[in-house]
Amino acid sequence: MPDPGAVSSDRSAAWAALLRVHAALVPRLDRELRQAVGMPLAWYDVLLELHAAPEGRLRMSDLGERVVLSRTRVSRVVDELVDAGLVLREANPRDGRSALATLTKAGARRLRAAAPAYLDGIDRHFTQHLTDGEQKAIARGLNRVLAGDQIAPPSVRSPDSPGQHDPLAG
């Protein structure tokens, strides 16, 4: 029987490295974004997904599937963004049971203002340590995992799509 704590195979090593990188970088990016622009990473994540959505609007359940937060936390973050005037929460006119989160003009401005600090953090702590080929391979591989497990949110595009989450684009 294999040792469940051993990380000797390539598969286990890749998984362990993914978890370690996530655990190390997310708090660092959050701290740096807060210091640079006064915005928590969770806010940036929600604003970014709304920015990428058609008409800057998503059902709360769809937003919960896209962001890197628990569904309960998404609701609290949206409440905070509503209080800050960066997002509107509205009843869904199509079904009356769900709510919509909509990016406001102020939210789009805050996202654009925060983007340089966010992208700089990603560059300094992640991409500068990888070749272009490694970056593409990681994106391709992780997107394939999402698609294979049928957990990919509709916003996930091919890793070759430029500007997938480019808040500076139009």
Side-chain angles (χ1 to χ4, degrees):
M1 177 172 167
D3 176 5
V7 186
S8 58
S9 76
D10 288 343
R11 290 179 302 184
S12 296
W15 175 249
L18 174 66
L19 293 178
R20 284 192 309 272
V21 166
H22 183 270
L25 295 189
V26 167
R28 184 176 296 163
L29 292 171
D30 180 65
R31 185 174 53 255
E32 289 179 2
L33 195 60
R34 285 175 188 267
Q35 289 171 349
V37 296
M39 179 185 291
L41 186 58
W43 282 27
Y44 190 91
D45 191 19
V46 169
L47 294 174
L48 186 61
E49 289 300 334
L50 290 174
H51 174 78
E55 300 177 24
R57 174 179 296 154
L58 285 170
R59 288 184 321 155
M60 289 293 293
S61 58
D62 293 334
L63 181 59
E65 290 174 2
R66 287 174 170 81
V67 296
V68 187
L69 301 167
S70 70
R71 287 182 192 242
T72 304
R73 181 79 176 115
V74 168
S75 185
R76 285 193 301 248
V77 169
V78 168
D79 288 343
E80 293 168 3
L81 290 166
V82 167
D83 291 344
L86 305 179
V87 169
L88 296 174
R89 187 194 293 246
E90 313 165 290
N92 187 341
R94 291 193 182 141
D95 69 15
R97 294 171 291 157
S98 64
L100 298 171
T102 304
L103 184 66
T104 66
K105 288 181 181 178
R109 283 192 302 272
R110 279 290 303 274
L111 178 66
R112 278 192 296 278
Y118 174 78
L119 296 171
D120 179 62
I122 290 172
D123 286 342
R124 282 184 296 105
H125 300 302
F126 187 72
T127 56
Q128 81 168 359
H129 304 290
L130 302 166
T131 66
D132 289 346
E134 289 168 332
Q135 292 173 42
K136 288 177 183 172
I138 289 168
R140 250 191 327 272
L142 293 177
N143 283 330
R144 194 167 47 243
V145 169
L146 289 172
D149 274 354
Q150 299 176 350
I151 56 176
S155 65
V156 172
R157 294 189 211 158
S158 157
D160 299 323
S161 298
Q164 175 179 347
H165 275 20
D166 183 359
L168 302 175

